[in-house]
Structure formats: C-alpha cells, structure tokens
Amino acid sequence: MGQLIDGKWSTQWYDTSKSGGKFVRSQAGFRNWITPDGSPGPSGEGGFAAEADRYHLYVSLACPWAHRTLIFRKLKELESLISVSVVAHKMPDETGWNFDKSEGSTGDALFGRDNLWQVYTQAVPDYTGRVTVPLLWDKKTGTIVSNESSEIIRMFNSAFNELTGNTDDYYPEALRPRIDEINARVYDDINNGVYKSGFATTQDAYDEAVTKLFDALDWVEGLLGETAYLTGDTITEADWRLFTTLVRFDAVYVGHFKCNRKRIADYPNLSHYLKALYEVPGVKETVDLNHIRTHYHWSHTTINPHRIVPIGPELPFLD
Ligand SMILES: N[C@@H](CCC(=O)N[C@@H](CS)C(=O)NCC(=O)O)C(=O)O
C-alpha cells in the first residue's frame, strides 16, 4: 500500500497509530459530477456534460467500490459510451495499482502508463493523497472527474438517460430518504466495516468493528425477511451497494479480514438475496472471483505475509 506525496509515489501501510488501532478511510479527492448539460453537480466544478465516448473509467475487478460503478455501467447500458481500463489483481507496495497485463490488467487504454498513480499525476502533477479505484477520467479536458464511487453511480444512474434511452432509476425520488438511511448504516458497518475489522491493529478496534458488522448483517437479515430487497420489492442503489460486499464476504472477508462469526451462507435471507442479485442479467459478468481472491490475499502482506491464496470456500451462489 502506498500513496502520492507531492506527486511522488511513496510506500507506506495505513497509519493506525493515531487512531487507537482503527482504520480510518480518507475522503476521495475528486468530486466533480457529470450532468446532462454540464451544469455543476452537488460538489466540485461544472463543465462535464454527458457525451458518448468522452469518459473513461479505471477500475479494479477486486474492489467493491469500483464494482458498484461497473454494475451501474452495465445496468444503465453505458458500456458503448464509457470505456474501461482494468488494473492488475496484484497490487505491490512498490507500484500500487498497476497495468501489468500478465496479472489480469487490460493495460491503460488511454495513456499506456505502467501504474495508476501516473494517471493521477497526469491530472495533478503534485497530487498528494491515496491512489484509489474507481477513477473517472474526462478525455476532453484531460482531467479526473471523480474518484468517489457513491457519486459516480449516481451520475451513471441518470446523467446519460437521454443518450441511452434507459430510464431505469435506482435512486427514485420517493425512496430517497429510506435509501439514504440504509446506505448510511450499510456503509459504516458493512461495506467499510469489513475493512475496519480486517485492518484493525488492536483487539479493541477489531472487536468494535466486527461486532457492529454482525449486528448490521443481523439487521439486514431481518429486513430481508419482510421484503425481497432492502427498500421493498424493487432493486435500488442500496441493494447494489450491499451486493458488492456480500459477493466478496465468504470468499475473502471471513478468512482474510477475520469477519468470521458467521458466513453469508449461514444467513438464509441474505443467501437468497445474494443469489437473486447475482442472477440479475448482466451482473455476474461484473463479478471476477479470481481478481477478488488474488487481490486481497496477495496484496495485504501485513495481514497475509506469505501471500498464499486459500483454496476455498465453495460459494453456493455460483451454483
Ligand atoms: N471512497 C472511495 C474508496 C475507494 C477505495 O478505497 N478503493 C480501494 C480499493 S478497494 C483502493 O483503491 N485502495 C488503494 C489505497 O487506499 O491505497 C470510493 O468509494 O470510491
């Protein structure tokens, strides 16, 4: 794990010494929005109008945050409008995310760079911050639109509707308060909760995170006893945001991140729900378990120093 400091790549693991052993995720640095006419969005600068062949998405197939954006690109029929580069599954400290084609990367389709940090410094030569995926690039102005997945999926949900004719809405007006409420707990305690458990460096920090994680999974298991999806009988953004963590849970988080009070396979409603979302047309093509399993176990050497990728477990939702 490394980061950019004044435009230079520097190798260092997350510093948990000032937070009592807790992993604290930093805020994404680029927060502009694509809108239908280029008017400014809720944050950042305007000037990013929805146009075909103007934007490029950098993703990892291992990353749950990037995975959200790939699902929205697929469901909203944006594949022919927004091109993609996939980074390698192995992320060495020396380079961070990189475009090694022998390790599952497509290569950098825009610039032919070796490493993702070079795309960040292409936009801001003296950038300081983490080099994360997903990253949404504007080919027209040669800069980064956004590296915040929760905002990229909102853009994909509606900004391109006139170009694609796809008006499916995963953030419908009437459900927004409920979606926001569910997202808040799912983000803190589940999406980020698995990372807080896995990257904790004290027993107390781990205990706190893992307890909240399983309390939240129990809560979701209850909700799914009432309705098919989190906010009712239709799939919304809240479901896709939970899905990308659930699909990695038994394969990676149970063992690698010590989230092992239960597996998703032990929760009947969550298991059924995971399978139903996985079977939505187009979605399983966005799930790459080889990238997922290899990335985490190989890349986090403070947790898994010998980089051994475990054999299992078998995953019932694949059957
Ligand atoms: N807030 C960001 C978080 C993205 C994120 O943390 N991505 C991880 C991969 S799963 C990453 O690139 N980590 C590299 C790092 O932190 O150095 C989002 O949701 O878009």
Side-chain angles (χ1 to χ4, degrees), residues 1-2 14 25 28 63-65 68 91 97 130-134 147-150 195:
M1 205 78 70
Y14 295 119
R25 186 175 293 280
C63 168
W65 319 101
R68 299 167 165 180
M91 186 182 74
W97 292 118
R130 306 213 67 86
V131 172
T132 56
V133 283
N147 65 345
E148 176 47 51
S149 64
S150 60
Y195 284 89

Side-chain angles (χ1 to χ4, degrees), residues 55-229:
Y55 299 99
H56 188 79
L57 189 60
Y58 287 95
V59 294
S60 154
L61 300 180
C63 168
W65 319 101
H67 191 180
R68 299 167 165 180
T69 67
L70 282 179
I71 292 173
F72 273 74
R73 175 174 172 265
K74 174 74 84 176
L75 297 177
K76 291 293 299 182
E77 300 178 76
L78 294 167
E79 285 171 299
S80 60
L81 276 67
I82 300 171
S83 48
V84 167
S85 293
V86 176
V87 297
H89 33 51
K90 294 180 177 168
M91 186 182 74
D93 290 352
E94 296 72 33
T95 61
W97 292 118
N98 64 82
F99 299 104
D100 185 343
K101 288 190 187 169
S102 65
E103 299 292 356
S105 174
T106 55
D108 171 10
L110 294 188
F111 309 112
R113 300 285 199 191
D114 292 331
N115 303 313
L116 186 66
W117 67 260
Q118 294 165 310
V119 179
Y120 274 74
T121 54
Q122 172 116 355
V124 181
D126 60 350
Y127 189 69
T128 294
R130 306 213 67 86
V131 172
T132 56
V133 283
L135 178 72
L136 184 60
W137 182 271
D138 178 17
K139 295 188 250 188
K140 194 165 181 175
T141 59
T143 196
I144 295 168
V145 181
S146 173
N147 65 345
E148 176 47 51
S149 64
S150 60
E151 294 171 358
I152 296 172
I153 63 174
R154 293 261 166 97
M155 301 171 210
F156 287 4
N157 184 52
S158 58
F160 295 85
N161 284 7
E162 293 219 342
L163 295 172
T164 59
N166 179 318
T167 54
D168 295 350
D169 187 2
Y170 295 97
Y171 192 51
E173 197 87 44
L175 292 175
R176 285 183 187 180
R178 184 63 179 146
I179 293 173
D180 291 346
E181 190 187 354
I182 290 176
N183 281 348
R185 182 160 182 199
V186 166
Y187 172 78
D188 264 339
D189 295 351
I190 302 180
N191 301 139
N192 208 20
V194 294
Y195 284 89
K196 289 191 241 182
S197 304
F199 288 156
T201 57
T202 60
Q203 186 71 47
D204 283 351
Y206 165 76
D207 289 345
E208 184 186 330
V210 84
T211 303
K212 283 188 181 161
L213 166 65
F214 282 97
D215 286 352
L217 287 173
D218 292 345
W219 161 68
V220 171
E221 176 73 3
L223 292 180
L224 295 173
E226 308 288 322
T227 54
Y229 304 106

Side-chain angles (χ1 to χ4, degrees), residues 270-307:
L270 275 164
S271 294
H272 182 263
Y273 169 79
L274 170 57
K275 174 82 176 155
L277 292 175
Y278 183 73
E279 293 295 337
V280 168
V283 169
K284 61 167 69 117
E285 290 123 73
T286 66
V287 178
D288 189 317
L289 284 158
N290 178 38
H291 274 251
I292 291 170
R293 286 157 33 79
T294 307
H295 166 69
Y296 284 91
H297 293 105
W298 193 93
S299 306
H300 302 152
T301 46
T302 51
I303 307 178
N304 191 31
H306 298 294
R307 296 184 148 159

